[in-house]
Amino acid sequence: MTSGGRDAVFDTEVGLLGIRLQQGVLVELSFLAAGVAPREPASPQAARVVAAIRRYFETPRAAVEVDFRLQGTAFQRRVWEALRTIPAGTTITYGALAARLGSGARAVGNACRRNPLPIVVPCHRVVASRGPGGFAGRRDGRLLEVKRRLLQLEGIETTA
């Protein structure tokens, strides 16, 4: 498989990640299937993003500090901004975040599902009242395992 026009594809503790930049600013981070060809960063900006994400895996309680742009609805951007305020090593339930935003848990979950910058905008820190909940629109499988692994890296054990 090819790298699909991504500015870099690199391996991490949770598998292959791909990034896309627009005008030197991160706009997409994707969890990729095995078999996608790695790609060295296509620019100095892409190299800085890769280095910042690698630092997160070395020091999971540190925020990923990169220049990024979020494209979505006003509500989605509001949720994504709230996600950036959740400290590493902590979680909040979909319901509690929804209450904080004056919204519903399902709407918050939908905004999390559409997050174009997981890890940078840490939607993995939002969990269900009983267990980890979903991740990237999945309630099981590889992506839910990625969520569990990200939480474990930050010192949070999940059940169910």
Side-chain angles (χ1 to χ4, degrees):
M1 284 187 185
T2 69
S3 59
R6 293 178 180 89
D7 290 284
V9 173
F10 55 103
D11 201 21
T12 70
E13 287 83 339
V14 296
L16 286 171
L17 297 180
I19 60 168
R20 289 184 211 264
L21 285 72
Q22 288 179 351
Q23 299 171 335
V25 176
L26 181 66
V27 295
E28 181 184 321
L29 187 153
S30 304
F31 298 101
L32 303 175
V36 174
R39 178 174 184 195
E40 291 297 316
S43 66
Q45 296 92 337
R48 284 192 291 275
V49 170
V50 169
I53 294 168
R54 289 191 185 285
R55 273 192 301 278
Y56 165 80
F57 285 103
E58 293 167 7
T59 311
R61 293 203 178 219
V64 180
E65 297 295 338
V66 297
D67 291 331
F68 64 89
R69 181 180 316 116
L70 292 168
Q71 300 171 342
T73 67
F75 177 75
Q76 288 169 339
R77 287 192 315 270
R78 211 168 113 224
V79 171
W80 299 335
E81 288 170 17
L83 296 176
R84 296 266 303 160
T85 69
I86 304 168
T90 64
T91 60
I92 187 170
T93 65
Y94 293 99
L97 183 56
R100 183 187 299 172
L101 296 172
S103 181
R106 185 165 279 135
V108 166
N110 285 334
C112 288
R113 178 180 322 142
R114 289 177 176 83
N115 175 9
L117 298 174
I119 300 174
V120 175
V121 177
C123 55
H124 62 277
R125 295 178 189 149
V126 183
V127 297
S129 57
R130 293 188 194 123
F135 191 60
R138 305 284 193 256
R139 295 194 149 265
D140 57 21
R142 183 180 73 84
L143 290 176
L144 186 57
E145 288 307 313
V146 167
K147 179 176 185 170
R148 285 187 172 113
R149 182 68 181 126
L150 291 171
L151 291 171
Q152 288 171 349
L153 284 168
E154 293 183 16
I156 300 166
E157 293 298 321
T158 61
T159 59

